[in-house]
Amino acid sequence: MEQIKYLDISDNEMKRFISLYGLDIYDTCLCGSEKKFKFCCWKNHERKTSSEVISWASQIYSNSLTKKDQNNRSCLFSNCRSRAIKSHMFSKGTHVKRIAGKNKYLYRLVKTFRNGCSITLKQENMLKDATTFRGFCPSHDNLLFDLIDNYYELDMKALYALAYRSIAYQITKFETERSVMVKKHFKHVPKYYSNQIVSNKSLDFQTYIIKTIRELEIQIDGLKTLLKRVEDNFDSSSQRWGIKHDVLRFTKIINVKVSNPDILFSNVHMSINSDINTNNLLAFNKSSNCELDHIITLVMPNDSMDAVSVVFATQVNASDISQAFLSFVESTTDHYVCSVINNLIISNMDAFYFSESYANEIEEKNLMGKIEEAVQQPILFNFNKFEIENMKREPRVAFLEERNTF
């Protein structure tokens, strides 16, 4: 726990932030009992030792979410309350199946937290579970994604369907993270009051958790707004995607020849495009009246399986910085496109899937040591920053490497 020092601010500033944004003892308890916090989990609270806090933190930071955390979700399609099933982030019939091959497994790297340190583990996923999330009911999962589940052609309608599914995946991921953090944090480490004397370590760590929870709320709200806008291009009467509303700007499809194209990666990166500075705790806005840019990244093998097809997208009304980024990746070299993707992967490893041959390649090149070092460093792209120079810099780990054509 010693390495966690989120912000270099005074204890009084942190206590003020916790007082403003933490859970009051008369708020409704977050465990779902509908009782006041004071008469529910607060009375069961016990002070934690350092070793107990480390054990608790391992649950907060781990990507190994329980089935209970992931299940019992409703369909994300507007006004549908049916129970969501496992939806594939990428097409099971084309991309997932072809990458898995005869082995019937896909692999990914998950970051977890043990003994006070971040570590990375290789996870094996069966074909039926790989790239899945609980996003849509059976009916809408078929209707919305029939266009892309059995075909490779990436026309504009297919890109809208893929972007829509990526946004939905990010929503479910953030909602689950928030749910787990809120329940575990406020049940076991309730907020400290300004007249309490606590260790700097405990105070700083709680400030970090509360701020992360509030940032997740802002991001979830922004993603749901974007999802609805993109969904308006789906015609329920004809059950087809159309381009009725100019919502997203896509780059051209960039085919990058890499040494091993057996990978899948999807991510939605967000940044604030207004003047709000979320690093200033006392200016942090709980009501989230801020505008967000969204950069959607899609990486998948092309139909000939000799390169990766890369597409980036953002809102048509996004800031000049985000528009400049799309223009940059469309006109730059494969080297810089690879750097951007590699930097995104190290910040969002749980969305990076690969084949058995690529898993063997990681071991042969002894990349796990470099990956371990990289995950110990601060996240590359902060919530309120989106800088092209950061994204195109030389990556700590080269997951994608340009193929030598000579």
Side-chain angles (χ1 to χ4, degrees):
M1 294 297 295
E2 294 293 344
Q3 79 274 24
I4 294 176
K5 183 62 182 172
Y6 185 57
L7 292 168
D8 186 18
I9 60 175
S10 70
D11 290 352
N12 284 335
E13 286 180 306
M14 285 192 281
K15 286 180 179 179
R16 183 176 171 187
F17 177 80
I18 292 170
S19 178
L20 285 170
Y21 298 111
L23 185 68
D24 187 82
I25 58 173
Y26 292 105
D27 288 343
T28 301
C29 190
L30 296 165
C31 71
S33 67
E34 298 186 359
K35 297 179 182 178
K36 299 296 183 185
F37 183 43
K38 180 177 180 179
F39 306 109
C40 191
C41 290
W42 170 256
K43 65 181 181 180
N44 298 324
H45 170 61
E46 297 178 359
R47 295 294 179 190
K48 302 291 182 183
T49 65
S50 294
S51 61
E52 287 174 324
V53 171
I54 288 175
S55 175
W56 164 79
S58 68
Q59 300 176 62
I60 295 295
Y61 280 100
S62 175
N63 283 316
S64 303
L65 303 173
T66 67
K67 289 185 178 180
K68 184 178 179 181
D69 293 324
Q70 300 177 66
N71 293 346
N72 299 318
R73 298 184 59 88
S74 296
C75 178
L76 285 170
F77 193 81
S78 295
N79 302 319
C80 181
R81 295 295 176 265
S82 300
R83 186 178 179 183
I85 60 169
K86 286 184 178 181
S87 301
H88 283 267
M89 185 168 62
F90 285 96
S91 167
K92 179 184 175 183
T94 53
H95 296 109
V96 173
K97 190 174 181 179
R98 290 184 67 176
I99 288 180
K102 296 180 180 179
N103 184 38
K104 304 298 183 186
Y105 286 94
L106 281 187
Y107 300 82
R108 67 173 178 167
L109 300 171
V110 294
K111 185 170 70 172
T112 187
F113 198 76
R114 289 184 182 174
N115 300 320
C117 296
S118 295
I119 63 170
T120 307
L121 302 174
K122 185 175 71 175
Q123 186 182 78
E124 187 179 67
N125 296 103
M126 295 180 65
L127 188 63
K128 64 183 181 67
D129 297 319
T131 82
T132 58
F133 66 103
R134 291 193 178 273
F136 301 96
C137 66
S139 174
H140 284 117
D141 192 54
N142 289 329
L143 292 176
L144 290 163
F145 308 118
D146 176 68
L147 176 68
I148 56 177
D149 275 347
N150 300 298
Y151 304 98
Y152 260 100
E153 185 179 357
L154 292 179
D155 58 14
M156 188 60 68
K157 294 179 181 179
L159 289 177
Y160 261 95
L162 281 167
Y164 182 79
R165 192 152 58 178
S166 293
I167 298 165
Y169 169 79
Q170 201 75 26
I171 290 172
T172 60
K173 175 185 173 183
F174 282 166
E175 284 185 336
T176 303
E177 286 179 5
R178 179 194 174 278
S179 175
V180 172
M181 291 180 75
V182 163
K183 290 177 182 177
K184 294 185 183 299
H185 176 67
F186 287 116
K187 182 174 182 179
H188 298 296
V189 189
K191 80 173 186 180
Y192 302 107
Y193 294 92
S194 57
N195 61 347
Q196 282 184 269
I197 300 175
V198 296
S199 70
N200 292 342
K201 182 166 52 178
S202 298
L203 193 63
D204 189 84
F205 187 67
Q206 189 173 66
T207 304
Y208 170 81
I209 292 293
I210 291 175
K211 186 169 184 289
T212 301
I213 290 170
R214 298 311 182 194
E215 287 178 351
L216 282 170
E217 290 174 343
I218 292 174
Q219 294 180 89
I220 291 167
D221 182 64
L223 281 167
K224 286 186 173 180
T225 299
L226 181 62
L227 187 77
K228 181 62 178 70
R229 292 186 64 206
V230 175
E231 183 185 297
D232 288 341
N233 278 321
F234 181 77
D235 189 339
S236 297
S237 59
S238 65
Q239 300 180 356
R240 291 289 184 271
W241 284 94
I243 314 299
K244 298 178 294 184
H245 308 284
D246 197 14
V247 179
L248 297 175
R249 171 196 167 186
F250 292 92
T251 64
K252 64 183 180 182
I253 299 170
I254 307 166
N255 286 298
V256 182
K257 293 188 180 297
V258 293
S259 57
N260 193 333
D262 290 354
I263 71 164
L264 294 169
F265 178 71
S266 175
N267 175 58
V268 183
H269 177 72
M270 283 151 286
S271 63
I272 294 178
N273 60 25
S274 62
D275 294 330
I276 295 174
N277 178 11
T278 56
N279 278 332
N280 179 353
L281 285 181
L282 302 185
F284 188 79
N285 190 348
K286 184 176 179 178
S287 62
S288 71
N289 293 323
C290 54
E291 298 177 1
L292 294 175
D293 278 358
H294 300 84
I295 300 290
I296 303 167
T297 307
L298 301 166
V299 182
M300 64 208 88
N302 64 1
D303 55 357
S304 60
M305 299 294 288
D306 64 352
V308 288
S309 295
V310 181
V311 180
F312 293 92
T314 190
Q315 305 103 298
V316 293
N317 61 345
S319 68
D320 291 343
I321 294 175
S322 296
Q323 300 288 358
F325 169 71
L326 262 66
S327 298
F328 164 75
V329 293
E330 279 190 309
S331 59
T332 193
T333 63
D334 287 356
H335 174 77
Y336 280 124
V337 173
C338 283
S339 294
V340 168
I341 296 169
N342 287 329
N343 281 323
L344 284 168
I345 288 173
I346 203 66
S347 295
N348 303 272
M349 282 193 301
D350 62 313
F352 175 54
Y353 288 85
F354 45 86
S355 66
E356 183 181 27
S357 66
Y358 190 91
N360 294 333
E361 190 174 307
I362 288 177
E363 293 182 6
E364 291 170 3
K365 293 182 177 180
N366 296 317
L367 288 180
M368 286 304 294
K370 292 183 178 179
I371 294 169
E372 289 286 359
E373 291 179 7
V375 299
Q376 302 295 331
Q377 304 301 316
I379 295 175
L380 285 172
F381 314 115
N382 294 329
F383 170 60
N384 62 325
K385 292 183 179 178
F386 188 85
E387 299 174 358
I388 294 176
E389 293 305 315
N390 266 350
M391 298 192 72
K392 71 178 184 180
R393 70 186 181 188
E394 286 300 311
R396 296 190 183 107
V397 182
F399 294 99
L400 269 70
E401 292 183 324
E402 296 173 84
R403 189 168 68 213
N404 191 339
T405 57
F406 297 103

